[in-house]
């Protein structure tokens, strides 16, 4: 009896080894371990054996069954893995087709992107961001900024007036006054926003954007203005940049300067630089120390020109973007041709 | 201001080339737009010639063929077209190789078959005048071959200066010379008027001047000349005027222009014999009175303007332009030279209202000192004698006299340091101020600075003097420091919300645009807005760039629609754009002026327009559906959900530019309106050449107020939720109505409910809802959930909504 069991085990093991598919293996399993197969029947009929044989035969038959089950299980796993590999290799797609569903790409307008960059630089320098109205009173736009009553900028050829005698602000500077009325010193703010002048050519549009800066504290100096704008210029135009201050005139700063940043384009190739026209410097903004007359307008809000001093600056976002991205005509930025816009942002 | 460098060098001659000088000036506050060459170049090719023969050109009536001795062994053949050329003349010749003012190089040429080795010159060909009537004819004593440049200047560099409005003293050669002196340290020659004494203001026989309005005319000076001969000016003077951009006219007029360019003080020359009664009166204009100016135009005066009149009426508009009646003529023999100072704001305002600007008005409107008038008169005297053979009539008229005593400003050394952030030695401060003409006295702790008359209006305070010190002694050595007291800073919540809202749209494939704030008044009709629409309460511009830009946009829609049309016309297949910007309305009368925070009602809008499919066609879906109401609703939902703003839509029909059956208002959790969402009205789409489109716009200001700045933590793991689905037959009810019933009945234990399926068969609508039940303090039992569910079903049943199948 034991011999027969071992014979069956040998036959089954050989059959398992020979099976090359999971289907064939299943047939082997049914043949040797199925309900009608000989080995399970042997096990079931152990009780019919004489008592002295039962133990040995039962044990051997059980061992054989377990061994065969294990061998089948192992063989199944191997065959399944092989078959899966074959199936997956056959299940091939063209991975070079476009992704789907498509994920359209949107972008910020280059002016918004540039504005955010400028805001982020000044946030890092400790300047908060304020905004203000675009339709503005003559008081805030001109009078309180020390513009003489006959200043040409007040003229209707330069400035948009509303039917009510207000103006479209010609600069973000009126918010200097509004900010000082609202917040006592120390004050460190920038004011980005849309402004308007009656001008239209390749470097001017009747609406454009400025960022005003204002720092008022006990001991702000012109050197602080230089350092602040040096940091700004390096952040926006590259770590190698230098700035220089050129004297200028603005009604609401004294001393007044224009700030040039060293050209970022000159060394790109050997040709004469088209960006700076060979001067090595790019004018980026106007600035200066806040004029005592401006403080006089807000003296009651804690701005005594003998106690505090400050600097102010104003830059054009279009100009910064045009310089940085080589945009030859800023009017392009307002035609909203998506083929242009999607190049930036 | 065009500054001929050769003229400047007469007063200060820095040892640097004009470009370096321009840079130095720019760094000290005098901006130089350009450095140009005026005149001719290769000047060795310009010589004196003697016309030996002059014969008719065989092939051209108007040309002559000349042989000209140019000082060389062989005479030159030159074809000449001037009517006055003749044998025996001494003329100026440009030889081949000469470079003419326009940059062309003269070559040997053939003119109608005749060879020509050069050119016999007229004045305009040397850029020293406009005269092209004939060639220049010189004194016969000049030898052939003599270099022309030895006779008068043929070329000069010209600096085109941009003078800031506070510095009218630099609209003058000598004024710039003073700046150059201060900026370079090169010595400054004495002023051209120094040492000249015009004598006492005793008056002039036969001339009377009355100033009725001293506010208009603080000083009026006059000097008279007789035996005047009117003729062209000498070439050196013409060359200077031409280089400075002034057209030479005749000697007396040229003198007034020359002295103005030199001193900055405009002058006017009257033909004294044509001044009726020998009397001039300066008075304010009568509003609307008419004056004829030199150019023959009739001008209608504003009330603040000034008139100079004689016994027969107005002769000049004060400070702006003379009249024709008493102007210098060829037969003038007696001249009254006027130099006056005028009220700057009144000149500016008059000039603006008359739309009439002149060299004189552009100086007077910036404010000239009364002292400058006498300085200019002093320079004129010698020139009148030298160039016009004139004799000065004894006496001087001076009404008003010099200006107020000079201001002395105390400048504290500590203040200089604290404002600039750099130490400037007091001796250095004194040095640059003296170079600019300021008087300086050391006070021990600073300087007492006396302001010269030509800076009287510009320098009135300590800060103004510190600016002078800064530009000449501090800017170049200024360190770069950062303010020590900078506080920390971050964006405000509204700024963060705006960025996030924009980023949501960008992340979903929507392109930002920058629309115009301006709009055409006709936009309101094109958007089909009714007469009583609040969007018609627009801000109107008094002086727009054009009628199409005459109002400020009350909505972002116009710009979005224009952008869609333009891009589609350029071949873009679908448009998904947004604008994030200000919209403007006039305040309604219900908001009283004192409660208006700004002159116009401005708020920040966020608007989207989708035209065509939001997604391009692909290999799997070759015809994606065009964006519809739900595409726009999904986008506005993405924005508001990102910001954690509770929102909903309600059917509404308040926007006549939207499809009435496919538009809704976007509301917050309380039902307050945030904006709209919908498909374009077909008439709007047609107006903008679109095939349709979907849009939304919301007021970001309102959204900001609702967005949760600091979310509160909610436990999501301890007590897991129970999820169930419901399928319902909804009858006539909208999805929102069904959800409202479900929410109300579900109470606190119903944490969320969403529509996840809808279908319609035989006009019967089924909705499938996904429900999520949870409590914050326990895991719900089946019994608890079933009780809520039963309650929901009961309420739905009461509204006629029943479970499906």
């Amino acid at each position: 009896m034991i011999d027969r069991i071992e014979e069956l085990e040998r036959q089954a093991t050989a059959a398992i080894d020979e099976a090359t598919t999971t289907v064939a293996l299943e047939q082997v399993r049914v043949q040797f371990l199925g309900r009608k197969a000989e080995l399970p029947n042997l096990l079931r009929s152990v009780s019919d054996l004489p008592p002295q044989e039962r133990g040995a035969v039962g044990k051997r038959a059980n061992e054989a069954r377990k061994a065969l089950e294990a061998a089948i299980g192992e063989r199944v796993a191997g065959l399944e893995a092989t078959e899966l590999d074959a199936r997956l290799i056959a299940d091939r797609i063209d991975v070079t087709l476009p992704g789907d569903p498509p994920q359209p790409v949107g972008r910020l307008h280059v002016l918004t992107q540039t504005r955010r960059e400028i805001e982020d630089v000044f946030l890092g320098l400790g300047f908060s961001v304020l905004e203000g109205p675009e339709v503005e009173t003559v008081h805030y736009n001109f009078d309180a900024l020390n513009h003489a009553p006959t200043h040409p900028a007040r003229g209707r050829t330069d400035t948009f007036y509303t039917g009510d005698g207000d103006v479209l602000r010609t600069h973000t500077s009126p918010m200097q006054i509004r900010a000082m009325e609202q917040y006592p010193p120390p004050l460190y703010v920038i004011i980005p926003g849309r402004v308007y002048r009656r001008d239209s050519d390749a470097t001017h549009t009747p609406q454009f954007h400025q960022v005003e800066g204002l720092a008022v504290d006990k001991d702000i100096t012109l050197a602080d203005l230089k350092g602040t704008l040096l940091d700004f210029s390096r952040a926006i135009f590259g770590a190698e940049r230098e700035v220089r201050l050129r004297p200028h005139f603005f009604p609401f700063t004294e001393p007044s300067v224009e700030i040039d940043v060293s050209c970022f384009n000159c060394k790109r190739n050997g040709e004469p630089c088209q960006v700076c026209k060979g001067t090595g410097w790019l004018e980026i903004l106007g600035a200066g120390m806040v004029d005592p007359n401006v403080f006089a307008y807000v003296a009651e809000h804690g701005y005594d020109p003998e106690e505090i001093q400050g600097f102010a600056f104003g830059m054009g976002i279009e100009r910064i973007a045009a310089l940085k991205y080589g945009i030859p005509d800023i009017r392009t930025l307002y035609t909203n041709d998506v083929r242009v816009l999607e190049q930036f942002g | 201001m065009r500054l001929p460098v050769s003229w400047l060098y007469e007063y200060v001659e820095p040892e640097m080339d004009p470009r370096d000088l321009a840079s130095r000036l720019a760094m000290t506050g005098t901006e130089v737009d350009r450095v140009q060459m005026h005149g001719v170049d290769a000047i060795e090719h310009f010589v004196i010639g003697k016309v030996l023969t002059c014969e008719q050109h065989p092939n051209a009536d108007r040309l002559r063929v000349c042989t000209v001795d140019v000082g060389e062994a062989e005479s030159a053949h030159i074809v000449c077209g001037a009517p006055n050329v003749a044998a025996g003349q001494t003329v100026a010749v440009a030889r081949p190789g000469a470079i003419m003012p326009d940059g062309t190089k003269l070559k040997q040429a053939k003119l109608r078959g005749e060879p020509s080795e050069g050119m016999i010159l007229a004045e305009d060909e040397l850029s020293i005048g406009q005269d092209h009537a004939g060639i220049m004819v010189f004194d016969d004593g000049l030898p052939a071959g003599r270099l022309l440049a030895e006779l008068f200047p043929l070329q000069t560099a010209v600096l085109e200066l941009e003078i800031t409005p506070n510095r009218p003293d630099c609209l003058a050669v000598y004024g710039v010379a003073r700046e150059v002196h201060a900026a370079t340290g090169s010595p400054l020659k004495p002023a051209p008027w120094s040492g000249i004494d015009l004598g006492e203001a005793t008056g002039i026989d036969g001339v009377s001047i009355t100033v009725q309005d001293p506010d208009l005319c603080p000083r009026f000076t006059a000097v008279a000349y007789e035996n005047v001969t009117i003729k062209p000016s000498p070439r050196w003077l013409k060359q200077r005027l031409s280089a400075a951009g002034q057209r030479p006219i005749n000697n007396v007029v040229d003198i007034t222009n020359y002295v103005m360019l030199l001193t900055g003080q405009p002058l006017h020359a009257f033909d004294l014999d044509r001044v009726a009664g020998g009397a001039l009166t300066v008075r304010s204009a009568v509003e609307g009175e008419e004056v004829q100016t030199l150019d023959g135009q009739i001008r209608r005066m504003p009330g603040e303007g000034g008139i100079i009149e004689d016994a027969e009426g107005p002769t000049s508009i004060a400070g702006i332009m003379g009249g024709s009646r008493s102007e210098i003529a060829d037969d003038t023999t007696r001249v009254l030279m006027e130099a006056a100072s005028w009220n700057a704001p009144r000149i500016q305002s008059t000039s603006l209202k008359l739309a009439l600007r002149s060299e004189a008005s552009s100086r007077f409107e910036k404010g000239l000192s009364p002292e400058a008038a006498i300085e200019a008169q002093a320079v004129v005297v010698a020139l009148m004698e030298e160039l016009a053979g004139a004799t000065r009539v004894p006496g001087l008229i001076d009404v008003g006299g010099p200006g107020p005593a000079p201001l002395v400003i105390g400048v504290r050394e500590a203040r200089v340091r604290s404002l600039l952030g750099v130490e400037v030695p007091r001796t250095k401060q004194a040095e640059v101020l003296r170079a600019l003409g300021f008087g300086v006295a050391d006070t021990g702790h600073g300087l007492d600075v006396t302001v010269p008359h030509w800076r009287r209006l510009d320098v009135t305070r300590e800060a103004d003097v510190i600016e002078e010190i800064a530009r000449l002694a501090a800017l170049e050595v200024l360190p770069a420091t950062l303010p020590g007291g900078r506080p920390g800073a971050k964006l405000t919540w509204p700024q963060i919300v705006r960025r996030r809202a924009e980023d949501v749209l960008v992340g979903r494939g929507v392109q930002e645009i920058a629309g115009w704030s301006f709009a055409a008044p006709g936009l309101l009709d094109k958007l089909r807005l009714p007469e009583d629409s609040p969007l018609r309460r627009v801000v109107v511009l008094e002086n727009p760039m054009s009628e199409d830009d005459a109002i400020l946009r009350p909505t972002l829609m116009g710009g979005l629609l224009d952008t869609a049309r333009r891009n589609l016309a350029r071949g873009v297949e679908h448009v998904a754009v947004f604008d994030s910007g200000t919209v403007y309305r006039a305040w309604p009368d219900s908001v009283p002026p004192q409660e208006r925070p700004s002159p116009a009602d401005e708020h920040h809008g966020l608007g989207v327009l989708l035209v065509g499919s939001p997604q391009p066609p692909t290999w799997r879906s070759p015809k994606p559906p065009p964006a519809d109401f739900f595409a726009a609703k999904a986008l506005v939902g993405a924005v508001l959900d990102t910001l954690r703003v509770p929102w909903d839509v309600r059917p509404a029909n308040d926007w006549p530019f939207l499809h009435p059956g496919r538009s809704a208002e976007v509301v917050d959790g309380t039902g307050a309106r945030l904006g709209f969402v919908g498909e374009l009205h077909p008439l709007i789409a047609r107006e903008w050449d679109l095939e349709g489109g979907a849009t939304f716009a919301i007021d970001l200001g309102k959204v900001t107020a609702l967005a949760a700045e600091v979310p509160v933590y909610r436990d999501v793991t301890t007590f897991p939720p129970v999820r169930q689905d419901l399928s319902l037959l909804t009858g006539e009810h909208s999805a929102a109505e069904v959800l409202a019933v479900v929410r109300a009945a579900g109470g606190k234990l119903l944490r969320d409910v969403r529509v996840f399926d809808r279908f319609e068969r035989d006009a019967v609508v089924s909705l499938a809802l996904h429900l999520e039940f949870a409590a914050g303090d326990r895991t719900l039992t089946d019994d608890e959930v079933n009780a809520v569910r039963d309650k929901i079903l009961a309420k739905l049943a009461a509204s006629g909504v029943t479970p499906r199948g």
Side-chain angles (χ1 to χ4, degrees), chain B residues 36 108 114 120 127 190 331 337 359 409 439 459 524 667 788:
Chain B
Q36 285 184 324
Q108 297 211 8
E114 286 291 321
I120 302 177
S127 280
D331 60 353
M337 191 63 74
E359 286 282 335
I409 299 171
V459 179
L524 308 176
V667 296
V788 180

Side-chain angles (χ1 to χ4, degrees), chain A residues 100 109 112 116 119 129 134-135 150 156 159 161 194 196 198 207 224 226 254 256 291 309 335, chain B residues 348 418-419 461 467 478 481 495 498-499 502 512 514 517 542-543 566-567 582 584 602 618-619:
Chain A
D100 199 89
H109 194 283
T112 304
R116 286 193 187 182
E119 287 175 350
V129 181
E134 296 172 29
V135 182
T150 54
R156 275 159 171 76
T159 297
Y161 281 79
R194 195 172 271 198
Y196 304 87
R198 296 186 82 254
Q207 77 182 23
D224 290 337
K226 183 177 181 182
E254 189 84 14
S256 300
D291 194 288
Q309 53 197 41
T335 56
Chain B
Q348 186 186 29
S418 88
L419 210 59
R461 305 159 305 171
E467 176 170 66
L478 199 64
T481 56
Q495 290 158 355
R498 189 192 308 167
R499 282 195 182 190
E502 291 163 352
E512 190 193 13
S517 300
E542 182 193 296
N543 55 338
R566 192 174 310 118
N567 279 287
T582 312
Y584 317 81
E602 301 179 19
T618 71
W619 55 283

